[in-house]
């Protein structure tokens, strides 16, 4: 699936988006897989309380299922306005 | 209702005037405008605003649609820029039109509270010495949502 | 701070733009604009606004000065018209500039609440059939003052 | 002293302002004097709870002293904004 990163998550991981082959069924499981990959992922995902996730461009949470999801995005709390 | 996510500058005067002209049956119009201000310690060179193109417009439209229904607004406007902005430039604005002032004010505050914490924008301060700081979200901004 | 009591029309766009240009260090700007709207039953021909010339400017200045101090505003603007206004014309506006949105919003609401009930203006509706009705003050407007 | 009337108070009394010779020491006493004069004053001052008063262009109340006051204004509750 397509995985997107924004703000300092993007900076830590080093790419704005990438294709990830995964059999993870939840966001939390996907995060575990990414953390195990390389230090830059471990650094980006060190503190999940400082992260937000969107599934197919809707805000979601880390317990959510990835069933049918095409696009996952990770980012810090938003600072619009 | 109009929602615009744009890199280009906009003018408060032109936007507010057009909004008022289109809503003379409203009675009450409120606008809020956010401006890049000089950082507390000085030395702010630019504010870089990143966003999530696929999601931004959809999120803003949902927020505005909710405000329209909840406060029986005659109209609402949301403009938000992204990209590199200099101090003094306008970041965003919202406008609301309603029969009564209470609705226009509350809806504008609602829009702002949700834009702050639920619209996918991230701000980075660029300082004169080259330092770059991602603006941290504030607990008070998250708390502000609980009143709605 | 500027307070204007005037018979002449004004444009929201010009006033809002000038206010924003003068307050780019503020961060947050809120405007409120009141418009003569069509009466509920239709047939409104004009809104006549009477005021107390010797007192009006003084009362508005006191209200604005209090807002400036209480919310540490960078600036405030109050414009209020008197005379005969047609539906669709702007009656008045306020603008506030502050570092943070909460102050700009609260100060603008404070200005409006006090303008409604403490500034010496009286509105009369003139209807198509010749009837003239003095607009009655609302208990809710008086109550609104208690929150400040 | 100079006495001013606004809105429907002005309409009922029929003039926007007039000079009133009085020895009343409070606003309430002045109102009593005016009420006793003519029906149009009695009509205008029938319900004091629907009236407001300003002394020398500052909001005041009906118990206030007129000592040193040069201008008294009577009007309904204000409807600005």
């Amino acid at each position: 699936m397509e995985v997107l990163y924004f703000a300092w998550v993007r900076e830590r991981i080093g790419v704005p988006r990438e294709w990830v082959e995964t059999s993870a069924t939840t966001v939390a499981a996907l995060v575990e897989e990414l953390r195990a990959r390389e230090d830059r992922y471990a650094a980006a995902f060190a503190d999940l309380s400082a992260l937000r996730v969107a599934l197919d461009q809707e805000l979601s949470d880390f317990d959510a299922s990835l069933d049918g999801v095409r696009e996952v995005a990770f980012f810090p709390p938003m600072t619009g306005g | 209702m109009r929602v615009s996510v744009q890199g280009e500058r906009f003018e408060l005067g032109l936007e507010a005037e057009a909004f008022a002209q289109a809503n003379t049956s409203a009675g009450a119009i409120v606008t809020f405008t956010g401006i890049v201000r000089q950082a507390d310690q000085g030395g702010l060179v630019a504010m870089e605003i990143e966003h999530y193109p696929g999601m931004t417009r959809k999120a803003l439209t949902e927020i505005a649609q909710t405000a329209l229904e909840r406060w029986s607004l005659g109209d609402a406007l949301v403009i938000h820029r992204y990209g590199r902005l200099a101090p003094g430039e306008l970041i965003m604005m919202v406008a609301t039109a309603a029969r009564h002032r209470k609705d226009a004010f509350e809806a504008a505050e609602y829009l702002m509270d949700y834009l702050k914490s639920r619209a996918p924008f991230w701000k980075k301060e660029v300082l004169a010495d080259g330092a770059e700081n991602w603006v941290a979200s504030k607990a008070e901004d998250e708390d502000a949502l609980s009143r709605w």
Side-chain angles (χ1 to χ4, degrees), chain A, chain B:
Chain A
M1 67 187 55
E2 194 75 18
V3 182
L4 282 68
Y5 310 108
F6 293 97
W8 56 254
V9 181
R10 170 180 55 72
E11 290 181 340
R12 287 189 195 175
I13 290 175
V15 295
R17 60 166 63 211
E18 60 189 333
W19 181 260
V20 174
E21 292 290 348
T22 179
S23 55
T25 57
T26 66
V27 177
L30 173 61
V31 167
E32 281 312 307
E33 278 192 23
L34 291 170
R35 269 181 181 152
R37 278 188 166 190
E38 291 179 44
D39 283 350
R40 58 195 173 103
Y41 292 97
F45 291 110
D47 176 11
L48 289 195
S49 74
L51 289 184
R52 300 289 180 269
V53 62
L55 302 182
D56 290 334
Q57 306 173 356
E58 292 279 352
L59 276 175
S60 188
D61 54 67
F62 288 89
D63 295 331
S65 165
L66 291 177
D67 190 30
V69 169
R70 288 171 303 177
E71 184 174 300
V72 179
F74 294 105
F75 41 77
M78 296 161 271
T79 54
Chain B
M1 184 184 88
R2 184 163 74 89
V3 167
S4 175
V5 182
Q6 60 187 58
E8 304 74 37
R9 295 183 187 214
F10 64 93
E11 278 187 37
L12 170 58
L14 294 176
E15 299 293 345
E17 184 63 27
F19 189 79
Q21 296 275 355
N23 288 287
T24 53
S25 65
I29 288 175
V30 168
T31 71
F32 177 93
T33 308
I35 303 175
V36 181
R37 61 177 162 80
Q38 191 63 20
D40 288 343
Q41 302 306 318
L44 186 79
V45 171
M47 182 76 85
E48 288 184 2
I49 302 177
E50 181 170 339
H51 77 124
Y52 182 173
M55 180 175 167
T56 315
R57 204 187 147 71
K58 193 159 62 173
L60 293 181
T61 301
E62 280 177 18
I63 293 167
Q65 194 63 48
T66 302
L68 275 177
E69 290 162 11
R70 184 156 165 188
W71 283 277
S72 305
L73 299 185
D75 199 2
L77 168 68
V78 178
I79 301 173
H80 205 303
R81 293 181 63 195
Y82 56 84
R84 187 180 175 97
L85 281 62
E89 286 190 50
L90 307 191
I91 302 173
M92 50 70 61
M93 75 173 283
V94 303
T96 56
R99 291 178 61 79
H100 300 292
R101 76 184 187 285
K102 186 166 184 292
D103 291 309
F105 270 122
E106 279 192 11
E109 291 183 68
Y110 171 91
L111 287 174
M112 285 310 303
D113 285 350
Y114 272 80
L115 251 65
K116 279 273 170 192
S117 305
R118 291 291 182 273
F121 293 97
W122 300 274
K123 295 199 190 91
K124 184 162 73 173
E125 294 178 346
V126 182
L127 304 183
D129 63 6
E132 300 188 346
N133 305 316
W134 287 100
V135 174
S137 65
K138 294 185 189 124
E140 67 194 60
D141 284 334
E142 189 67 29
D143 293 346
L145 299 183
S146 64
R147 61 171 164 156
W148 306 115

